[in-house]
Amino acid sequence: MKKTIQSLDELAVLAQEIASKLQFNIVLFEGNLGAGKTTLIKLLAQALGSQDVVSSPTFSIVNEYSIPNGKIFHFDLYRIESEEEALNFGVEEYLDSGDYCFIEWPDTIHNLLPEDFHRIEINATAEKRTIIFT
């Protein structure tokens, strides 16, 4: 699915649509700094029923949010430099948990990912965002 949006309201509607189509618990988020990855994750968490405050886990690496049927683990791997570093904080346990894992900057752990996952690519300009969900 590929959509172009120009407002936060349109992004919220798209988040609802994406939430209804999630088949896998691992979702990778790709896009430049400031593209809106965390904003989309916030809206997806709300669409999945979370009441928690969603914020970027840039320094904590992972944040946890409650949803009615489990949890969402929100990762920001921007500062992770190797698979070994990710293994040291237990990334495999999160990936194997069965809970949602929303991962920003996933390239470092590409070899650790399961076979089945979704990818969300955000291409941003000043006027619009193009979001590709696969």
Side-chain angles (χ1 to χ4, degrees), residues 61 76-86 89 105 107-109:
I61 310 292
D76 183 332
L77 302 182
Y78 185 77
R79 298 182 318 122
I80 299 297
E81 296 182 11
S82 67
E83 283 181 8
E84 183 178 344
E85 211 176 325
F89 78 74
W105 307 102
D107 290 343
T108 305
I109 65 163

Side-chain angles (χ1 to χ4, degrees), residues 35-74:
K37 296 179 294 295
T38 300
T39 301
L40 180 54
I41 289 170
K42 176 182 179 178
L43 294 169
L44 278 170
Q46 290 172 352
L48 292 168
S50 180
Q51 305 270 327
D52 296 337
V53 174
V54 174
S55 61
S56 177
T58 301
F59 296 103
S60 62
I61 310 292
V62 62
N63 288 344
E64 180 180 320
Y65 315 121
S66 295
I67 57 174
N69 296 323
K71 298 178 184 177
I72 297 170
F73 296 109
H74 174 195

Side-chain angles (χ1 to χ4, degrees), residues 9 37 70 77 93 100 107 112 121:
D9 288 339
K37 296 179 294 295
L77 302 182
E93 292 173 30
Y100 285 109
D107 290 343
L112 302 175
E121 182 181 342

